[in-house]
Amino acid sequence: MKKLIIIGCCCLPVLRITAQLKPFKDSLFSKELSEVVVTATRNERKLGNVAVPVSIISQKNIQQAGSLRLKDILQEQPGLFLTSGFGVGVQMQGLNPDYTLILVDGEPLTGRTSGVLDLNRVTTGNIKKIEIVKGPSSSLYGSEALAGVINIITDKSYDKKLNLSARYGTYNSLDANITAAGRIGKAGFSAFLNQYNTDGYSIRPYSVERSKLPVNRTTPHLNINYPFSNKTSLNLSLRYNYEHIKNELAVSNNGQVTYSYGREINKDLNITPTLTHIFSSKFKTQLRLYANRFEGSQKLSTSVGQGYDDYFLQRFYRAENQTDYSLSKRLSFVGGIGYIKEFVNSTRYDSKDSRKENEVSYGFIQAEWQALKNLTFIGGFRYDDNKLYASAFSPKIAGKLTVNNRLSFQASYGRGFKAPDFRQLYLNFTNTSAGSYSVFGALEAQRIIQLMDNAGLIRQFEADYSRLQALKPEYSNGFNAGFTFFPTRKLQWQVNVFRNDIKDLIEARLVATRQDNTQIFSYVNIQRAFTQGIETNIRYVITNSFILNAGYQYLQTADKDELNRLKEGNYYYTRDENNFSVLLKKKDYLGLPNRSPHMATCKLSYEPASQKWFANIRAAYRSKWVVFDKDGNGIYNKQDEFAEGFVQLGSSIGSSLPYGFRIQAGADNILNHVDVNNLPNAPGRTYFITIGYSFINNKSTKNKN
Amino acid sequence: MKKMNMTLTGLFAAAILLFSSCKKDDADVAIDKTNDGTFKVFTEGNITTVQNLIADTIIGLTPVGQPYGANKFSFFSIENNALVPSSDSATNKWDIAFRGTTIITNAGTSGPGLGGAFVLIGTFDATASVPADSTFYTDTAPLYAIRTGSGKGWYNYDGATNLVTALPGRVIMIRTATGKYAKLEIINYYKKGITPAATAPDNDKLSLQRYYGFRYTFQPNGSKTF
């Protein structure tokens, strides 16, 4: 916190000087700032007018970086770090992947495992842009939008086109895309198909084990738009994702080799009909229906007969109405109501035949008020009434002050929440082998433990047993404040300071011990934590063709209870260089694990005015992060074990060719940084080449593809 | 010449004296403290350090992958700073014994002595005496004075990495078989006093464990201060 205050104080004199600066007649960045974003306010706003931290990744950026999956492009964004374990997740403002909502065209993706939504599942092939909003947005989106929202907006232009592209790369990775769009009468359609195959790879030499498993993925996406009149239109989106993952292992134990053979199949189907009616330029309403079905199965058989069969089916249905109304030029409203019905069947809880369900009814309202010509406020809230757990109230307020076209300030406060998931409510898991233990979901624990106690199986109730009750959602109070400043016409500088205070984090705790000494765990609201830091980005137009983008994030985190015990003293110990016990000093405390205090990204791109070709070089840095409580004191400190910091370097070059062809080649992880244990999802150096062809080669499609 | 011889003899004598005295100093100071993986006991001042006390090392895995040893304790005398043969397990000759993560003291179900123990939270150096209001527990198998189980007694077991870590800030207060007192700190559970990295192969984690490193101060006069 002290450091943040110091940074804040340093900014003040800068601000005093800049307040007297004269505005530019025209800004080189006016095009970017007038780009329309939808995620921050749920209605169309110019990027330069939004009061919360938003960034846009354009289709062009994605393509020029040679990204295939959502993870490829997100790992190059400032302040985002990708986690491994249960697929690739994204850590935003130091918060776990569970707390970032991921939307496709405004609708949530489902099928998280242990809270992680695998970013490999999403192809970038038909992404028009990605909007990233940092800070809590639960006031508009409800559960999970606690750290932020990533909204993937797919290409829905209906201009006639047919594009093909194919990319081949290291590890026999093939990615092919077909995009077709056009109009039949009044109806517009766009169809997309992506096929991705890879053999996977092993970063352990001579191993049959694959660090990244062989995968086949198929994603068709069809979008149809029918305007009944120029005021009423119907849109239908159908998206399907099929994923087939092979997992073959050989484990050698005292000369005895056990072979195992695993298959994971995930099927994800989304249907979204949307009816929009525009009453007038001031009054618009939209009815959205969303049906989502995610089915995942994992089967493993081994040569010694043991194995498992995991099944997970999640169905998510939502009906929502949103109405936008402008009372005057200065005052406008967005309001909505919705209803969610959710079902889960899984062997993870009890059996695949037993259906768990939840219902949520919600309403939200947001007002945008232009108090002065250069001062805008946005305020709103959302209320979610849940059937299974306590209801949630999420307010938000934000303001933006535009001094002139060179300087603007913004600040926001929002409360975010994450509802307990089905696992935390219903899990019924008993490990019968090593150090046998059980984990019961919060809704089941008391009933099961009482049954066991009646049968005389319980030796004792532990202290945390008394905490067992209806789980509350996890809450965060998020603050963001910053400025955008143009020191020269060619340089944009953005700073955002953030703090997220999180409470009621759900944690598995020991609640009872059985007579045979096996332990029983369940989920309780316990932990309080914070993450805080500063993010800064610059964009420098060196020449009209050369552009430099750089970003940096400094992050601090702490478990508040640990921090309090540290301040009180005589609680935590560690070991000195002789391995003798010593008291832990507060300055050695590191907070939450798996977080890098320093992260940076840098990208240099070149594209001549003719746009005939381009080249770029991209770097992402992450400082070392603590991974294991080596001294066994229960918290993370400087004496513990770290994963090595690294720089990931990528480069790509591409050119458009005659007759609608284009070609691109590139390399990723050029420095070949591999870390078998801590970065299992990062392969060594890889290469690729892409060839694309557009049948209809007019100017607009050439630029986009 | 004779005089010269005398002088030379004198010089030699002086040199021998000098060297021998040097040798004597060396013997006092230069204890070999390097941890080479062998069992070693050495005393500096009132602190005795034990390295690589082998405590039932793993000899195999059960069909479900649980490691097991020969199920034998290693007995140690704190009064004599030495291992005690297991043939003397039913005598007062030992004070403390080790088998895997289980540590027993010579009393109750474990032996005929006056032993006992409890775990105190604090540092070894700052523990100047046995606190007045403290209670020594005796072993009543399967419940031991020094509790077994992760986080309960002297160690922490991490299921994700399969590593046993001696909890920092734990001092084991010991009553010996003859009813005298000692304070003891477990330093490490692995060979050469080095816990394998979390990312080390499982085989290393299994073969290098159950090598106790610890240090203690024994108060021979029977008082509770160290």
Side-chain angles (χ1 to χ4, degrees), chain A residues 401-585:
Chain A
L401 172 71
T402 308
V403 177
N404 57 37
N405 70 0
R406 295 183 63 181
L407 180 65
S408 62
F409 298 95
Q410 59 187 40
S412 62
Y413 157 75
R415 189 180 194 212
F417 77 96
K418 182 184 170 288
D421 57 27
F422 282 97
R423 166 181 56 117
Q424 290 158 339
L425 296 168
Y426 290 114
L427 187 67
N428 185 340
F429 174 80
T430 296
N431 181 335
T432 46
S433 65
S436 76
Y437 63 95
S438 301
V439 188
F440 300 129
L443 285 180
E444 302 286 307
Q446 263 173 316
R447 187 181 60 82
I448 297 173
I449 295 168
Q450 280 302 332
L451 279 175
M452 287 179 167
D453 193 34
N454 292 343
L457 294 170
I458 300 294
R459 179 209 289 271
Q460 62 181 26
F461 294 108
E462 305 292 342
D464 282 326
Y465 182 79
S466 60
R467 290 176 185 261
L468 277 181
Q469 54 178 323
L471 280 181
K472 284 181 282 187
E474 301 177 305
Y475 279 107
S476 165
N477 285 310
F479 301 88
N480 283 270
F483 62 83
T484 303
F485 175 49
F486 299 90
T488 74
R489 284 182 71 246
K490 293 183 162 189
L491 181 63
Q492 181 189 43
W493 178 34
Q494 286 177 307
V495 172
N496 183 51
V497 181
F498 60 88
R499 162 118 179 164
N500 295 294
D501 274 290
I502 311 143
K503 64 172 183 180
D504 292 329
L505 279 180
I506 296 170
E507 217 183 311
R509 282 291 171 102
L510 178 66
V511 290
T513 310
R514 294 177 58 151
Q515 295 292 7
D516 58 1
N517 268 331
T518 56
Q519 300 178 316
I520 300 172
F521 295 87
S522 184
Y523 296 95
V524 289
N525 290 103
I526 244 175
Q527 233 187 340
R528 303 176 308 143
F530 71 78
T531 72
Q532 63 185 17
I534 184 164
E535 183 185 330
T536 180
N537 292 292
I538 61 161
R539 186 173 160 80
Y540 182 43
V541 182
I542 303 167
T543 71
N544 282 340
S545 304
F546 256 119
I547 295 172
L548 175 78
N549 282 286
Y552 168 77
Q553 179 183 274
Y554 174 72
L555 178 70
Q556 284 180 329
T557 61
D559 177 313
K560 288 188 188 177
D561 297 322
E562 291 173 359
L563 200 60
N564 287 340
R565 286 195 287 263
L566 257 172
K567 281 176 184 162
E568 283 162 24
N570 291 354
Y571 194 89
Y572 292 110
Y573 296 85
T574 182
R575 288 181 185 271
D576 64 10
E577 62 282 3
N578 295 317
N579 257 331
F580 298 154
S581 293
V582 288
L583 262 177
L584 181 68
K585 295 189 179 85

Side-chain angles (χ1 to χ4, degrees), chain A residues 334-397:
Chain A
V334 174
I337 51 166
Y339 173 76
I340 297 168
K341 183 107 189 171
E342 209 178 348
F343 302 98
V344 169
N345 295 55
S346 177
T347 49
R348 294 172 204 173
Y349 313 136
D350 33 32
S351 84
K352 67 198 266 187
D353 301 321
S354 145
R355 191 174 78 176
K356 314 293 184 194
E357 57 180 85
N358 189 26
E359 279 174 51
V360 184
S361 307
Y362 62 90
F364 62 88
I365 186 153
Q366 175 189 273
E368 189 171 343
W369 176 44
Q370 198 181 359
L372 297 167
K373 202 182 161 208
N374 55 3
L375 181 64
T376 304
F377 292 105
I378 294 179
F381 66 87
R382 172 168 162 143
Y383 186 79
D384 288 67
D385 182 54
N386 306 289
K387 196 178 141 204
L388 287 183
Y389 42 83
S391 51
F393 173 70
S394 332
K396 179 172 183 171
I397 184 155

